[in-house]
Each structure stands twice: as structure tokens, then as C-alpha cells.
Amino acid sequence: MSVRRADTLGGKAAIVGIGATEFSKDSGRSELKLAVEAVRAALDDAGLTPADVDGLVTFTMDTSPEITVAQAAGIGELSFFSRIHYGGGAACATVQQAALAVASGIADVVVCYRAFNERSGRRFGSGVQRREPTAEGAALGWNLPYGLLTPASWVAMAAQRYLHAYGRGPEDFGHVAVLDRRHAARNPAAYFYGKPITLADHAASRWIVEPLRLLDCCQETDGGQALVVTSVERARDLPRPPAVVVAAAQGAGRSQEQMTSFYRDGLTGLPETAVVARQLWRSSGLTPADIDVGILYDHFTPFVLMQLEEFGFCGPGEAGDFVAADALPLNTHGGQLGEAYLHGMNGIAEAVRQIRGTSVNQVAGAARSLVTAGTGVPTSGLLLGADG
């Protein structure tokens, strides 16, 4: 996992089970119950039982600790438990940590999970409220007095600069929103099932923070998602086709802050994503031309464009046209704008479905999926592939 050389993790672990609750705006139950439902669903999908599990990984922002989930789900002794920081940037890193544990023999079966009442409970989109003093908070404090109070406002700074630097217009962002909602409209699990939008709908949606409109911003969701990771060898004896972890990476860039990295040399890219991209391509030996489907973290539409450019699918300022041309199947579940906002964990599940051949928007012959995690923060990424 060094930023300077390839690693040897690829091919040693696989995702063998996926499970989720329904995605709603008011779950009517605790976050712990959501987590347990998702974990049990993922184990059922994998053909495993709670007794098989000896590792759990989640996010630091999760209110359901590993040992509590283990107890509530009927899981026994644990030899590995871990949490990843930085909100949605943690998504793919949960699988990376699970794969590391499996590859090193620290655990045999590791479940990664994320569950929250992000609409009916704590709404992350509401910004900074009652935050305890931390070093991260001090960095945010330089921006709050100027009205930069919410994630949308932090992203708007980079989005405005991107449009100015490349002479582009907000319709570039609209292409992402339209594509996600088109896929969500065909996905019965998506909150916006049956509700596609047009570029005109995007342009008519109300301003949140210029240049971001309502339809540039992901939704808020109650729900849970879990993934089961084990060795490739064990995976071959289980009922579902495995999604092999071809490569996994984390990345933080120079002058990195949490969403407010405004003092870098430029604001038109995502240096943390560039770190992840270099590691994934170097460790896997793959290139953008080898990818069949991309599941890109879409909390805000501009950062989808920047991710495509950092990964080398197109040149700087060209991603709007790339998306408009459907040059790569993207966010076939509907993304966080269309399906659900589960800090990217539902995106990993969609990448697994593509490898299995079971997506409602299946890409014919999909054998390699790229998945990214939250951007603007220290982030992570995965390359998943079919076995053999």
C-alpha cells in the first residue's frame, strides 16, 4: 500500500455476500437494528452464518460499535475489529482492511457494515453543529465565519473554480445527475425508482450554493448496508460468484483537510483521488481502458467529473462531455443521488452485482469494476474483478 510501489494484496480476498435494509427517509428503528439487519442479510447472501464471522469493520461515524453489532447479530469471538475515519472516504477502505485481515490470516470472515438514520436522525448535510473541539474543527473554523457552513458550500468553492478554469457550464454537472437518475428509475431498491429527470429539470432545480443546485446534491437516507469478505479459496465453495479484490487503496493528498482543502495550488482536481488512482493502477497493472463499469462516489456532481479526470478516463475539463457521451457505464444502481446515500457502501454492493451479472442495469460481460469512496476528504478505492 505504499505510495511509491505496487502492493501484493490483489487476488487474495473477495466479497462473497451483500445485504441491505430498505432505503427510506424514516426507518422507524435504531441504527443498531439497521446494522444487524444488513449484516444478517449479507451473511444469508453469502451462505454463511454469524458463527463463521471473526472480524468486523465499520466507520468512525457509526453509532453501532463492532462488539455491539457482534452481540446483537449472534456473532461470537472476534479476532479483528476496526474503524475507518473521514466519513464517506472510508467506504472502500473498510473492504481494504477486511482483505488485509483475511490475507494475513488475522481473520477468516470479515463483515464490513454501515448503518445510519441520516435523514430522520443526524443529518450530515446540515453542516457543523455542536462539534467538539478537534484539530479538524480548527481547520473548519477558518472557513465558517465566511458562511462556508455545510458540505455543499465547501464543494461549491471547488466547483465554481472548475467551471471557470475550463470554460464549462453547470450543464456538465447536470449530465451526472441525469445519468444517475436514469439508472435509479429502473432500480426498484432506489428511492427515486421510476423518477428520471432531464437536463431541464436539473437547470430548474433550486440553488443550494451556487453553482450547485438541489439536483447536484445527494439525498439523505436511513438504511444499512453490509458486505462479507473472505479468502478467494473459501469463496469458491460458497453459492455466489465472488467479486475478487484486484486492488485496494487509501489516499490523502498534500495540504489535505476534511472538505476544506482550499490552500492547495489549485482547486480543479482531487489530489487524494490521484493518490488512490496511482496505487490502484500500479498494483493491478490495469488501465482505464480495462474497466467495464465505474461506481463513482457522487455526494456532489462536480466531484464525479474530477474523479474521472484524476483516474485518467479523460483529460482535465473533459469529463462533462465524457459523461454525456456515455463513454463508460457509471453508477448503474443510481448512485447516491438516485438510489441511497449510504456513505458509498451501496455502491460497492452494486459493483459486486455487476461482477455477478445480477444488476438491474447490467453491463454485458462486466468483469472489472472500479469503485471510489468519498472525495474532498482522505479517500479510498477498489478494483473488483471476476474470479479467474
Side-chain angles (χ1 to χ4, degrees), residues 104-190:
S104 62
I106 292 174
D108 292 324
V109 176
V110 181
V111 178
C112 308
Y113 66 93
R114 182 74 173 111
F116 51 28
N117 285 320
E118 204 272 331
R119 174 68 184 191
S120 65
R122 177 190 171 188
R123 299 174 66 179
F124 298 137
S126 62
V128 179
Q129 296 180 346
R130 297 182 297 277
R131 184 183 291 270
E132 293 183 1
T134 64
E136 290 173 342
L140 288 174
W142 289 108
N143 301 285
L144 301 181
Y146 303 100
L148 300 178
L149 299 171
T150 64
S153 67
W154 302 329
V155 172
M157 293 282 284
Q160 192 74 282
R161 184 62 187 173
Y162 179 92
L163 296 180
H164 173 77
Y166 297 122
R168 307 298 300 191
E171 63 275 8
D172 281 12
F173 305 157
H175 292 309
V176 176
V178 169
L179 176 145
D180 274 14
R181 290 288 292 272
R182 183 175 77 233
H183 290 142
R186 296 193 290 264
N187 176 8

Side-chain angles (χ1 to χ4, degrees), residues 245-332:
V245 178
V246 176
Q250 284 183 282
R254 295 184 185 276
S255 302
Q256 182 81 58
E257 293 180 6
Q258 187 162 281
M259 298 295 292
T260 57
S261 304
F262 301 141
Y263 296 96
R264 290 168 162 168
D265 292 339
L267 293 180
T268 59
L270 297 166
E272 61 276 3
T273 297
V275 174
V276 169
R278 287 197 304 269
Q279 293 184 78
L280 291 180
W281 297 142
R282 180 166 49 203
S283 294
S284 67
L286 300 176
T287 70
D290 298 311
I291 301 304
D292 300 308
V293 58
I295 309 296
L296 302 188
Y297 197 95
D298 57 339
H299 49 346
F300 298 99
T301 56
F303 280 180
V304 174
L305 303 183
M306 294 183 196
Q307 287 177 80
L308 286 166
E309 293 166 13
E310 295 288 10
F311 270 93
F313 288 98
C314 55
E318 297 175 356
D321 294 334
F322 183 89
V323 173
D326 283 328
L328 174 72
L330 292 172
N331 293 354
T332 48

Side-chain angles (χ1 to χ4, degrees), residues 5 10-11 23 37 57 63 78 84 147-148 166-167 188 197 200 208 217 299 301 365 373 376:
R5 61 180 180 277
F23 304 135
E37 288 180 22
V57 186
T63 61
L78 297 175
I84 316 295
L148 300 178
Y166 297 122
I197 61 171
I208 299 300
C217 306
H299 49 346
T301 56

Side-chain angles (χ1 to χ4, degrees), residues 345-364:
M345 294 294 272
N346 53 318
I348 302 174
E350 173 64 11
V352 173
R353 287 189 288 268
Q354 285 289 347
I355 298 300
R356 291 178 175 181
T358 60
S359 171
V360 294
N361 294 300
Q362 184 62 43
V363 175

